[in-house]
Amino acid sequence: MSNSALSPLPSADRPDVAARLRDALLGASFTADGLLELLGAPAYAALARSEVVPALRATRGDTPLETLVRLFLLQQPVPHARVADVLSVDACLEAGWLTGIGGDEAAATVDIRPYGGPDGEDWFIVSDLGCAVGGAGGIGSREEGVVLGVGGASTTLAGITVRTPVAAALDLGTGSGIQALHAARHATRVTATDLNPRALHITALTLALSGAPAADLRAGSLFEPITADETYDLIVSNPPFVISPGARLTYRDGGMGGDDLCRTLVQQAGDRLAEGGYAQFLANWQHVEGEDWQDRLRSWVPRGCDAWIVQREVQDVTQYAELWLRDAGDHRSDPVEYQARYDAWLDEFEARKVKSVGFGWITLRKTGAVEPSVTVEEWPHSIEQPLGEAVRAHFDRVDYLRATDDAGLLAGHFKLAAEVVQEQVGLPGAEDPEHVVLRQHRGMRRATKVDTVGAGFAGVCDGTLSAGRILDAIAQLVGEDPVLLRDRTPAQIRLLVEQGFLNPVE
């Protein structure tokens, strides 16, 4: 389908109406907390699974909040008189937020989803009809140009983004505007781009309805709308990263072969970053027969950038194809058509010798270092969001370790990170453990094996004594040569710092 099949959007040039609508939504507690209280946890959780029946049952009354939920979140027509009790119907009809049905009912032209900001802000994410509930899973069939609401990928990227105050931020492929909305909290100037003009329109609505400053909105693919002399302190993108045969759906299919879109995005970001700036992306990448996937990703990193790449999940090609066929609602279509599309997907992978597809995060930081640091790792385990501060701290530790030799490590002072616990693993009744594990309960929630010296060292790191003095004390305690202990321990200290178990003390 073309964009003409999609409903007309509200005017983006009526901030007065958006402000009045925002006041009405807040006045009725049409917020994330208000929805949870109204619907109850089971119905609220069902919305995330794209199931609306429990929410419909919970909104059969005539309170202002129930009216707004049915209107803007559940896409139900509501009697004109009931809407008039809650908001300015005539203004919303004139500005296009509502449309009249049958003379005595009103219906929303867009979905509006309450969204809680990181500091308790009450924000509202605008999306196309049928796209707010459950994000990408909210509608059964997709139309070209459709703009989705908030899905798991959106919140993941928002959670891992470094949130330091910056002069200029770029949201590339803005969609419904959630990343631009987050960036507006800590960036003086926000630029948002998208290949889909409808997405830029909806981003403007999201920002206005959330009470955020307007962004500089530009149409175009990848970095095309950005002039050669423009650089940014922060670049974020949840791009259309799906590796698919063709570009049927704008919101997910990049239109380039294989993982070329993600590669191009990463490679071009280096020239757009200001010194010390961060670029953070979600991405898919191919696992190709005879090729190390980590080497593939290292080759993407542009010159002059440190990188931290984390693979969170891997799917074989059949799982991957089925996931995105279901996402588009193709499993509900004609079985013959579904099988043909499935077959085309596997043909594409077979031609490229792709055996599986990885998903994860890519973070770049512009650096003047002679030898940039590139870390590529697999971490499918649970983490604690938001992770932005942990990402920033990772690169701070990279700087420290790059500038500090072993002598500097021994002269340095360290402090054990918060909520690190020690676990001793061994057979019941054994005098000594087989090994000792340090485990984080914050951030990446890493675990690492250490020997008894490493465990003892970490346990007394409170920033008061230098590493060398602590090792001398341990050597005396265990009867070991202090010189030999100083020689062999810096590698273990370096690993503990690198993984965030120990933090250097200035």
Short mmCIF file of all heavy atoms in Angstrom, two decimals, residues 447-470:
data_model
loop_
_atom_site.label_atom_id
_atom_site.label_comp_id
_atom_site.label_asym_id
_atom_site.label_seq_id
_atom_site.Cartn_x
_atom_site.Cartn_y
_atom_site.Cartn_z
N ALA A 447 30.25 -11.44 35.66
CA ALA A 447 30.87 -12.34 36.62
C ALA A 447 32.24 -12.72 36.08
O ALA A 447 32.40 -12.91 34.87
CB ALA A 447 30.02 -13.59 36.83
N THR A 448 33.23 -12.82 36.96
CA THR A 448 34.57 -13.19 36.51
C THR A 448 35.26 -14.03 37.57
O THR A 448 35.08 -13.80 38.78
CB THR A 448 35.41 -11.94 36.20
OG1 THR A 448 36.62 -12.33 35.57
CG2 THR A 448 35.73 -11.14 37.45
N LYS A 449 36.02 -15.03 37.13
CA LYS A 449 36.81 -15.85 38.05
C LYS A 449 38.07 -15.10 38.47
O LYS A 449 38.70 -14.44 37.64
CB LYS A 449 37.19 -17.18 37.40
CG LYS A 449 36.06 -18.14 37.18
CD LYS A 449 36.58 -19.44 36.57
CE LYS A 449 35.46 -20.41 36.27
NZ LYS A 449 35.98 -21.67 35.68
N VAL A 450 38.41 -15.23 39.73
CA VAL A 450 39.66 -14.66 40.23
C VAL A 450 40.33 -15.68 41.13
O VAL A 450 39.69 -16.60 41.64
CB VAL A 450 39.42 -13.35 41.02
CG1 VAL A 450 38.94 -12.24 40.11
CG2 VAL A 450 38.41 -13.59 42.16
N ASP A 451 41.65 -15.52 41.32
CA ASP A 451 42.32 -16.38 42.29
C ASP A 451 42.18 -15.75 43.68
O ASP A 451 41.57 -14.69 43.84
CB ASP A 451 43.79 -16.60 41.90
CG ASP A 451 44.58 -15.30 41.81
OD1 ASP A 451 44.16 -14.29 42.39
OD2 ASP A 451 45.64 -15.31 41.14
N THR A 452 42.73 -16.41 44.68
CA THR A 452 42.55 -15.91 46.04
C THR A 452 43.21 -14.55 46.24
O THR A 452 42.70 -13.71 47.00
CB THR A 452 43.13 -16.92 47.06
OG1 THR A 452 44.49 -17.22 46.69
CG2 THR A 452 42.31 -18.19 47.08
N VAL A 453 44.33 -14.31 45.53
CA VAL A 453 44.98 -13.01 45.63
C VAL A 453 44.07 -11.93 45.03
O VAL A 453 43.88 -10.87 45.61
CB VAL A 453 46.34 -13.01 44.91
CG1 VAL A 453 46.90 -11.59 44.80
CG2 VAL A 453 47.33 -13.90 45.65
N GLY A 454 43.50 -12.22 43.85
CA GLY A 454 42.60 -11.26 43.21
C GLY A 454 41.39 -10.96 44.06
O GLY A 454 40.97 -9.80 44.18
N ALA A 455 40.82 -12.00 44.67
CA ALA A 455 39.66 -11.80 45.53
C ALA A 455 40.03 -10.97 46.76
O ALA A 455 39.30 -10.05 47.15
CB ALA A 455 39.08 -13.14 45.95
N GLY A 456 41.16 -11.30 47.36
CA GLY A 456 41.60 -10.54 48.53
C GLY A 456 41.91 -9.10 48.18
O GLY A 456 41.57 -8.18 48.95
N PHE A 457 42.55 -8.91 47.04
CA PHE A 457 42.88 -7.56 46.60
C PHE A 457 41.62 -6.72 46.40
O PHE A 457 41.50 -5.60 46.90
CB PHE A 457 43.69 -7.63 45.29
CG PHE A 457 44.03 -6.30 44.71
CD1 PHE A 457 45.17 -5.63 45.12
CD2 PHE A 457 43.22 -5.70 43.74
CE1 PHE A 457 45.49 -4.38 44.59
CE2 PHE A 457 43.53 -4.47 43.21
CZ PHE A 457 44.68 -3.80 43.64
N ALA A 458 40.65 -7.28 45.66
CA ALA A 458 39.42 -6.53 45.39
C ALA A 458 38.68 -6.22 46.68
O ALA A 458 38.11 -5.13 46.83
CB ALA A 458 38.52 -7.33 44.44
N GLY A 459 38.71 -7.16 47.61
CA GLY A 459 37.95 -6.98 48.85
C GLY A 459 38.43 -5.84 49.72
O GLY A 459 37.64 -5.28 50.50
N VAL A 460 39.70 -5.45 49.61
CA VAL A 460 40.21 -4.38 50.48
C VAL A 460 40.39 -3.07 49.72
O VAL A 460 40.90 -2.10 50.28
CB VAL A 460 41.55 -4.77 51.13
CG1 VAL A 460 41.37 -5.97 52.04
CG2 VAL A 460 42.62 -5.06 50.08
N CYS A 461 39.97 -3.04 48.45
CA CYS A 461 40.10 -1.80 47.68
C CYS A 461 39.00 -0.82 48.09
O CYS A 461 37.84 -0.95 47.67
CB CYS A 461 40.00 -2.10 46.18
SG CYS A 461 41.53 -2.69 45.45
N ASP A 462 39.38 0.14 48.91
CA ASP A 462 38.44 1.19 49.30
C ASP A 462 38.99 2.57 48.96
O ASP A 462 38.46 3.59 49.41
CB ASP A 462 38.13 1.11 50.79
CG ASP A 462 39.36 1.26 51.67
OD1 ASP A 462 40.46 1.53 51.13
OD2 ASP A 462 39.24 1.13 52.91
N GLY A 463 40.05 2.60 48.17
CA GLY A 463 40.62 3.86 47.71
C GLY A 463 41.69 4.45 48.59
O GLY A 463 42.32 5.44 48.20
N THR A 464 41.96 3.88 49.75
CA THR A 464 42.91 4.49 50.68
C THR A 464 44.35 4.08 50.40
O THR A 464 45.26 4.90 50.48
CB THR A 464 42.55 4.14 52.14
OG1 THR A 464 42.52 2.72 52.29
CG2 THR A 464 41.20 4.72 52.49
N LEU A 465 44.57 2.82 50.08
CA LEU A 465 45.93 2.33 49.84
C LEU A 465 46.17 2.12 48.35
O LEU A 465 45.25 1.78 47.60
CB LEU A 465 46.16 1.00 50.57
CG LEU A 465 46.09 1.02 52.10
CD1 LEU A 465 46.24 -0.40 52.65
CD2 LEU A 465 47.17 1.93 52.68
N SER A 466 47.43 2.30 47.92
CA SER A 466 47.78 2.02 46.54
C SER A 466 47.73 0.51 46.30
O SER A 466 47.83 -0.29 47.23
CB SER A 466 49.17 2.55 46.22
OG SER A 466 50.16 1.78 46.89
N ALA A 467 47.61 0.14 45.03
CA ALA A 467 47.57 -1.28 44.67
C ALA A 467 48.85 -1.98 45.11
O ALA A 467 48.81 -3.12 45.61
CB ALA A 467 47.37 -1.43 43.17
N GLY A 468 49.98 -1.31 44.94
CA GLY A 468 51.25 -1.91 45.33
C GLY A 468 51.33 -2.21 46.81
O GLY A 468 51.79 -3.28 47.22
N ARG A 469 50.88 -1.28 47.63
CA ARG A 469 50.92 -1.49 49.08
C ARG A 469 49.99 -2.61 49.50
O ARG A 469 50.30 -3.39 50.40
CB ARG A 469 50.56 -0.19 49.81
CG ARG A 469 51.63 0.89 49.69
CD ARG A 469 51.33 2.06 50.59
NE ARG A 469 51.30 1.67 52.01
CZ ARG A 469 50.96 2.49 53.01
NH1 ARG A 469 50.59 3.73 52.73
NH2 ARG A 469 50.97 2.07 54.25
N ILE A 470 48.82 -2.71 48.83
CA ILE A 470 47.89 -3.81 49.15
C ILE A 470 48.54 -5.15 48.80
O ILE A 470 48.47 -6.11 49.59
CB ILE A 470 46.56 -3.63 48.38
CG1 ILE A 470 45.81 -2.41 48.90
CG2 ILE A 470 45.69 -4.89 48.53
CD1 ILE A 470 44.57 -2.08 48.10
#
